[in-house]
Amino acid sequence: MASSRPLADLEARIATCRACPRLVVWREEVARVKRAAFADQEYWGRPVPGFGDPEAQVFVLGLAPAAHGANRTGRVFTGDRSGDWLFASMHRTGFANQPTSVSIDDGLRLTGAWIAAAVRCAPPANKPTPQERDRCLPYAVEELELLDRVRVIVCLGAFAWDAALRILGPVRPRPRFGHLAEAEVAGRVLLGSFHPSQQNTFTGKLTEPMTDAVFLRARELTFS
């Protein structure tokens, strides 16, 4: 059973990390300049901790915080369209108590799931470097050690899939990413999903039924 105190200590350490100079400069600049729509808000402007149920059996791994989403609100996948899409699906499939995620104090609770990003700081152009990724991944390794009930890792996009393989690996041959792709690695199942970015959701590459299918499959795997 996971202990909430070590998890809280870890997330506090994540929130004070300054290991990647380029990301520190960018996240703080975004928080200072702000987007006009949020000009009256105080941005978080720091690394974004993981969030969810300490007894989670499903670990959801994204790419990185959005500059004006989680970098603003301080909670992963909160305050942007990707988060709206993700949490609506998690609500429909029983992992979240509500379909929206707008602020850190909006009452959102997860049951059976924990969400984190492979890279905890908002990167320029949403593109962290391999070195930034590798410096950040030990945080996810530590989370998964503490979240010892996790059986399924839902990887939101190819970047997260690759990050999960690095976290659990080395793995040879490397399983290929795809929507609803599955691979058992080190006693856990990786489950692929297209990322809920606006590029994917607006074009129909990712639909609501496709997203729901991922989380329904994750639920099936935790009870198998």
Side-chain angles (χ1 to χ4, degrees), residues 143-156:
E143 274 175 334
L144 285 168
E145 289 173 352
L146 293 171
L147 296 165
D148 54 9
R149 297 189 66 196
V150 166
R151 299 182 61 191
V152 179
I153 301 177
V154 174
C155 303
L156 302 177

PDB file of all heavy atoms in Angstrom, residues 143-156:
ATOM      1  N   GLU A 143       8.114   7.777  -8.312  1.00  0.00           N
ATOM      2  CA  GLU A 143       6.660   7.707  -8.137  1.00  0.00           C
ATOM      3  C   GLU A 143       6.169   6.268  -8.257  1.00  0.00           C
ATOM      4  O   GLU A 143       5.360   5.798  -7.439  1.00  0.00           O
ATOM      5  CB  GLU A 143       5.957   8.572  -9.179  1.00  0.00           C
ATOM      6  CG  GLU A 143       5.810  10.019  -8.784  1.00  0.00           C
ATOM      7  CD  GLU A 143       5.209  10.870  -9.879  1.00  0.00           C
ATOM      8  OE1 GLU A 143       5.342  10.523 -11.078  1.00  0.00           O
ATOM      9  OE2 GLU A 143       4.627  11.904  -9.543  1.00  0.00           O
ATOM     10  N   LEU A 144       6.640   5.579  -9.273  1.00  0.00           N
ATOM     11  CA  LEU A 144       6.173   4.208  -9.484  1.00  0.00           C
ATOM     12  C   LEU A 144       6.652   3.264  -8.385  1.00  0.00           C
ATOM     13  O   LEU A 144       5.984   2.281  -8.073  1.00  0.00           O
ATOM     14  CB  LEU A 144       6.620   3.711 -10.857  1.00  0.00           C
ATOM     15  CG  LEU A 144       5.824   4.293 -12.026  1.00  0.00           C
ATOM     16  CD1 LEU A 144       6.501   4.000 -13.348  1.00  0.00           C
ATOM     17  CD2 LEU A 144       4.400   3.737 -12.023  1.00  0.00           C
ATOM     18  N   GLU A 145       7.789   3.551  -7.785  1.00  0.00           N
ATOM     19  CA  GLU A 145       8.223   2.759  -6.635  1.00  0.00           C
ATOM     20  C   GLU A 145       7.283   2.952  -5.455  1.00  0.00           C
ATOM     21  O   GLU A 145       6.979   2.006  -4.722  1.00  0.00           O
ATOM     22  CB  GLU A 145       9.649   3.141  -6.248  1.00  0.00           C
ATOM     23  CG  GLU A 145      10.704   2.663  -7.238  1.00  0.00           C
ATOM     24  CD  GLU A 145      12.082   3.213  -6.916  1.00  0.00           C
ATOM     25  OE1 GLU A 145      12.198   4.085  -6.021  1.00  0.00           O
ATOM     26  OE2 GLU A 145      13.055   2.775  -7.570  1.00  0.00           O
ATOM     27  N   LEU A 146       6.810   4.175  -5.283  1.00  0.00           N
ATOM     28  CA  LEU A 146       5.891   4.469  -4.179  1.00  0.00           C
ATOM     29  C   LEU A 146       4.470   4.018  -4.498  1.00  0.00           C
ATOM     30  O   LEU A 146       3.736   3.576  -3.607  1.00  0.00           O
ATOM     31  CB  LEU A 146       5.909   5.965  -3.875  1.00  0.00           C
ATOM     32  CG  LEU A 146       7.220   6.516  -3.313  1.00  0.00           C
ATOM     33  CD1 LEU A 146       7.197   8.035  -3.271  1.00  0.00           C
ATOM     34  CD2 LEU A 146       7.489   5.940  -1.924  1.00  0.00           C
ATOM     35  N   LEU A 147       4.076   4.131  -5.760  1.00  0.00           N
ATOM     36  CA  LEU A 147       2.750   3.689  -6.191  1.00  0.00           C
ATOM     37  C   LEU A 147       2.823   2.209  -6.546  1.00  0.00           C
ATOM     38  O   LEU A 147       2.716   1.805  -7.708  1.00  0.00           O
ATOM     39  CB  LEU A 147       2.283   4.518  -7.388  1.00  0.00           C
ATOM     40  CG  LEU A 147       2.078   6.017  -7.118  1.00  0.00           C
ATOM     41  CD1 LEU A 147       1.987   6.792  -8.430  1.00  0.00           C
ATOM     42  CD2 LEU A 147       0.827   6.240  -6.286  1.00  0.00           C
ATOM     43  N   ASP A 148       2.987   1.387  -5.530  1.00  0.00           N
ATOM     44  CA  ASP A 148       3.339  -0.008  -5.771  1.00  0.00           C
ATOM     45  C   ASP A 148       2.169  -0.886  -6.207  1.00  0.00           C
ATOM     46  O   ASP A 148       2.347  -2.071  -6.479  1.00  0.00           O
ATOM     47  CB  ASP A 148       4.021  -0.614  -4.537  1.00  0.00           C
ATOM     48  CG  ASP A 148       3.194  -0.450  -3.267  1.00  0.00           C
ATOM     49  OD1 ASP A 148       2.021  -0.031  -3.347  1.00  0.00           O
ATOM     50  OD2 ASP A 148       3.726  -0.741  -2.183  1.00  0.00           O
ATOM     51  N   ARG A 149       0.983  -0.318  -6.311  1.00  0.00           N
ATOM     52  CA  ARG A 149      -0.170  -1.082  -6.808  1.00  0.00           C
ATOM     53  C   ARG A 149      -0.396  -0.881  -8.311  1.00  0.00           C
ATOM     54  O   ARG A 149      -1.269  -1.521  -8.903  1.00  0.00           O
ATOM     55  CB  ARG A 149      -1.437  -0.682  -6.054  1.00  0.00           C
ATOM     56  CG  ARG A 149      -1.394  -0.993  -4.563  1.00  0.00           C
ATOM     57  CD  ARG A 149      -2.758  -0.769  -3.924  1.00  0.00           C
ATOM     58  NE  ARG A 149      -3.731  -1.725  -4.437  1.00  0.00           N
ATOM     59  CZ  ARG A 149      -5.056  -1.596  -4.305  1.00  0.00           C
ATOM     60  NH1 ARG A 149      -5.558  -0.536  -3.699  1.00  0.00           N
ATOM     61  NH2 ARG A 149      -5.881  -2.504  -4.791  1.00  0.00           N
ATOM     62  N   VAL A 150       0.374   0.002  -8.930  1.00  0.00           N
ATOM     63  CA  VAL A 150       0.167   0.301 -10.352  1.00  0.00           C
ATOM     64  C   VAL A 150       0.431  -0.933 -11.206  1.00  0.00           C
ATOM     65  O   VAL A 150       1.485  -1.561 -11.111  1.00  0.00           O
ATOM     66  CB  VAL A 150       1.075   1.463 -10.813  1.00  0.00           C
ATOM     67  CG1 VAL A 150       1.117   1.558 -12.338  1.00  0.00           C
ATOM     68  CG2 VAL A 150       0.585   2.772 -10.221  1.00  0.00           C
ATOM     69  N   ARG A 151      -0.534  -1.261 -12.040  1.00  0.00           N
ATOM     70  CA  ARG A 151      -0.405  -2.392 -12.964  1.00  0.00           C
ATOM     71  C   ARG A 151      -0.389  -1.954 -14.421  1.00  0.00           C
ATOM     72  O   ARG A 151       0.119  -2.667 -15.282  1.00  0.00           O
ATOM     73  CB  ARG A 151      -1.566  -3.381 -12.746  1.00  0.00           C
ATOM     74  CG  ARG A 151      -1.606  -3.981 -11.357  1.00  0.00           C
ATOM     75  CD  ARG A 151      -2.733  -4.973 -11.224  1.00  0.00           C
ATOM     76  NE  ARG A 151      -2.601  -6.090 -12.159  1.00  0.00           N
ATOM     77  CZ  ARG A 151      -3.561  -6.990 -12.399  1.00  0.00           C
ATOM     78  NH1 ARG A 151      -4.727  -6.881 -11.793  1.00  0.00           N
ATOM     79  NH2 ARG A 151      -3.357  -7.967 -13.263  1.00  0.00           N
ATOM     80  N   VAL A 152      -0.985  -0.779 -14.694  1.00  0.00           N
ATOM     81  CA  VAL A 152      -1.120  -0.301 -16.073  1.00  0.00           C
ATOM     82  C   VAL A 152      -0.577   1.117 -16.164  1.00  0.00           C
ATOM     83  O   VAL A 152      -0.883   1.964 -15.323  1.00  0.00           O
ATOM     84  CB  VAL A 152      -2.595  -0.308 -16.525  1.00  0.00           C
ATOM     85  CG1 VAL A 152      -2.731   0.221 -17.953  1.00  0.00           C
ATOM     86  CG2 VAL A 152      -3.177  -1.720 -16.421  1.00  0.00           C
ATOM     87  N   ILE A 153       0.238   1.375 -17.182  1.00  0.00           N
ATOM     88  CA  ILE A 153       0.717   2.726 -17.469  1.00  0.00           C
ATOM     89  C   ILE A 153       0.110   3.164 -18.798  1.00  0.00           C
ATOM     90  O   ILE A 153       0.424   2.602 -19.853  1.00  0.00           O
ATOM     91  CB  ILE A 153       2.253   2.792 -17.537  1.00  0.00           C
ATOM     92  CG1 ILE A 153       2.860   2.322 -16.210  1.00  0.00           C
ATOM     93  CG2 ILE A 153       2.714   4.206 -17.866  1.00  0.00           C
ATOM     94  CD1 ILE A 153       4.379   2.275 -16.202  1.00  0.00           C
ATOM     95  N   VAL A 154      -0.794   4.128 -18.743  1.00  0.00           N
ATOM     96  CA  VAL A 154      -1.405   4.686 -19.946  1.00  0.00           C
ATOM     97  C   VAL A 154      -0.473   5.767 -20.482  1.00  0.00           C
ATOM     98  O   VAL A 154      -0.206   6.765 -19.801  1.00  0.00           O
ATOM     99  CB  VAL A 154      -2.795   5.273 -19.655  1.00  0.00           C
ATOM    100  CG1 VAL A 154      -3.349   5.985 -20.886  1.00  0.00           C
ATOM    101  CG2 VAL A 154      -3.758   4.166 -19.217  1.00  0.00           C
ATOM    102  N   CYS A 155       0.016   5.579 -21.684  1.00  0.00           N
ATOM    103  CA  CYS A 155       1.001   6.496 -22.278  1.00  0.00           C
ATOM    104  C   CYS A 155       0.298   7.388 -23.295  1.00  0.00           C
ATOM    105  O   CYS A 155      -0.160   6.914 -24.337  1.00  0.00           O
ATOM    106  CB  CYS A 155       2.112   5.715 -22.967  1.00  0.00           C
ATOM    107  SG  CYS A 155       2.970   4.557 -21.872  1.00  0.00           S
ATOM    108  N   LEU A 156       0.214   8.681 -22.982  1.00  0.00           N
ATOM    109  CA  LEU A 156      -0.472   9.625 -23.850  1.00  0.00           C
ATOM    110  C   LEU A 156       0.504  10.156 -24.899  1.00  0.00           C
ATOM    111  O   LEU A 156       1.183  11.156 -24.705  1.00  0.00           O
ATOM    112  CB  LEU A 156      -1.048  10.770 -23.022  1.00  0.00           C
ATOM    113  CG  LEU A 156      -2.040  10.363 -21.922  1.00  0.00           C
ATOM    114  CD1 LEU A 156      -2.474  11.573 -21.120  1.00  0.00           C
ATOM    115  CD2 LEU A 156      -3.251   9.643 -22.514  1.00  0.00           C
TER     116      LEU A 156
END
